Amino acid sequence: MQKTWWKESVVYQIYPRSFKDSNGDGIGDLRGILEKLDYLQTLGINVIWLCPVYKSPNDDNGYDISNYRDIMTEFGTLAGWEELLAGMHQRGIRLVMDLVVNHTSDEHPWFVEARKSKDNPYRDYYIWRPAKDGKEPNNWASIFGGSAWQLDEASGEYYLHLFTRKQVDLNWENPKVRAEVFELMRWWLDKGIDGFRMDVINMISKTPGLPDAPVVSASRYQPGGLHYMNGPRVLEFLDQMKREVLSKYDILTVGETPGVNTAHAIALTDENSGALSMVFQFEHMDLDSDPAAFSSRASKRPWQLSELKEIMSRWQVGLGERGWNSIYLTNHDQPRAVSRFGDDGQYRVQSAKLLATFTHFQQGTPYIYEGEEIGMTNVAFPSITDYRDVETLNIFKELVEDHGLTPETALNILHAKSRDNARTPMQWDASPQAGFSSAAEPWIKVNPNYAHINVSAALADPDSIFYYYQKLIQLRKANPVMVYGRYELIMAEHPEIYAFTRALEGERLLVLLNFSGSTALCELPAGLAFSSAEVLIGNYPAQPGEDARSFVMRPWEARVYRLG
Ligand code: TEU
Ligand code: CA
């Protein structure tokens, strides 16, 4: 396996709108990030993935771009961005920018032109179809609700939008579109950035003819993923991107790829032939959803440890020495990790540390989402009017109006699943608005628990989640086995403990994680022969006199041994 800096890095994801507001308008901004670089350096991360900061009318908080070569007014200026990049590089932190090129804003000049007339030179930058039987061209649902097609009154044709109607899908079949994208990528790369996170990059190739999706529900529109995820020309388009752009730079590229299996992921990230460094897979993000629901975020069910083990192990072994995994439990689209996979009540601290142990000891590049390092939790806003996310608002409407749920029941699901769980402001200290902003009302409310969950409290407590992350990151820098070691699941049938080993050139680690709020008996398998076991890290004090092969793990206990 080749050794590269991006395999050895730990990435920290910033959602700029919610990170730090430097000028009191209630919206996080680039200067706010600059102010906090020393904090991130203390944490020890190597790379920052910055969610979109480009010009945008903010229908989907920057994932609807109207100018790829300028900065969102609320966030700052291009000069401010240059200063931020320099500030990162001075501290040895690399910058990965978000690349959103499956779609543009409907306010992007290309689309403004395209909708002027059917023979406009930009018309073919997007995907247009006439009505079929007086209705939409096909039955695809938008991922954010309703039809994936919007009628353009002027021309009488529909345009395709997999997300909101203000996020118009680009026509990647058009070589001019690809050339434009490659050019804007070079523009940023030549400014010295260190890579891209590519938004829904496996959705850029649609099934030719755009056929109807199979009817799986009574809804008017059907999930069309079959016809736009991992489509027939994705690899070809990305190979071209690699040839013409990516291969010319030493960068980290991570594709956001909902609906990929390990075979797709290997094709995308194969050491020799793949176009990308790694991808985000989503299987473990669907563990707590009803597969029949119209959106994974419109339903909830308890998740099973056995399923988490099965999924993660399949990815660990599947990509093994051929591709490369990215490891994450949350991001700006997901609930908070400690609320979803841990316990955000009594065992918040212990379980947050256990989850951190999990992500840092899997094979792959770990991603930390802002606030995860202090154990920030989900929020339960009392009213739908407190929510801001366009997807959340649409799901609420659909659940209440089309599925007949009471507003209380709908809110209850969104308390667990809303993307706004991840988007409440970063909790810096116990002052008003958690030290995020001096505004009386930030763009979204802070989580009321900021008085005790905040950075300043974490920095003052040597036993905090923050310092545990710091230690994990240091350990990963010092122990190549954490990065490159071969993964093997052990004790697969244990109902509470997730146990695995990592092995590299005669070195071996044993990772034991009690994913439960009760004690669990750990009896190591006889086949696991070792003569000594040194504790590398753990989230509880050692228990003197304990048997080395058979012992009780405490609630949410995590331990890692170096085996001799
Ligand atoms: O998300 C894409 C995406 O498809 C998932 O988060 C999706 O909502 C989920 O798989 C459905 O279950 C990316 C961005 O991360 C997100 O913030 C944007 O809203 C979206 O693309 C559109 O650009
Ligand atoms: Ca601001």
Side-chain angles (χ1 to χ4, degrees), residues 491 494 497 510 512 520-526 528 530 533 543-554 557 559 561:
M491 298 161 57
H494 200 293
I497 297 175
L510 170 63
L512 300 172
L521 180 63
C522 180
E523 290 180 296
L524 294 176
L528 195 77
F530 59 89
Q543 304 191 97
E546 190 185 64
D547 187 280
R549 300 283 176 158
S550 169
F551 49 85
V552 169
M553 292 189 77
R554 290 153 286 188
E557 181 168 3
R559 321 180 179 185
Y561 291 107

Side-chain angles (χ1 to χ4, degrees), residues 11-32:
V11 183
Y12 188 90
Q13 182 192 352
I14 292 183
Y15 196 68
R17 207 173 184 78
S18 304
F19 194 61
K20 174 73 179 133
D21 171 22
S22 71
N23 62 351
D25 66 353
I27 299 173
D29 46 54
L30 298 185
R31 179 147 291 276

Side-chain angles (χ1 to χ4, degrees), residues 8 10 41-46 360-361 466-480 482-483 536-537:
E8 293 167 18
V10 175
Q41 196 178 25
T42 305
L43 180 58
I45 52 95
N46 320 77
H360 286 76
F361 280 93
F466 176 90
Y467 289 119
Y468 193 88
Y469 269 88
Q470 185 189 55
K471 185 168 177 192
L472 283 168
I473 296 169
Q474 283 166 2
L475 282 173
R476 205 167 170 282
K477 285 177 186 162
N479 293 279
M482 283 176 74
V483 179
L536 205 59
I537 190 167

Side-chain angles (χ1 to χ4, degrees), residues 34 63 72 135 203 215 222 292 321 331 348 395 443 532 535 556:
L34 187 64
Y63 283 92
M72 192 188 298
K135 288 190 306 197
M203 299 193 193
V215 176
Q222 306 295 325
E321 274 147 43
N331 61 39
R348 185 183 66 88
I395 288 176
W443 73 274
S532 66
V535 177
W556 296 102

Side-chain angles (χ1 to χ4, degrees), residues 34-61:
L34 187 64
E35 286 171 16
K36 297 299 183 185
L37 288 183
D38 289 338
Y39 165 74
L40 296 174
Q41 196 178 25
T42 305
L43 180 58
I45 52 95
N46 320 77
V47 177
I48 289 174
W49 152 26
L50 195 56
C51 283
V53 295
Y54 315 95
K55 275 261 187 309
S56 163
N58 282 308
D59 193 47
D60 186 19
N61 289 355

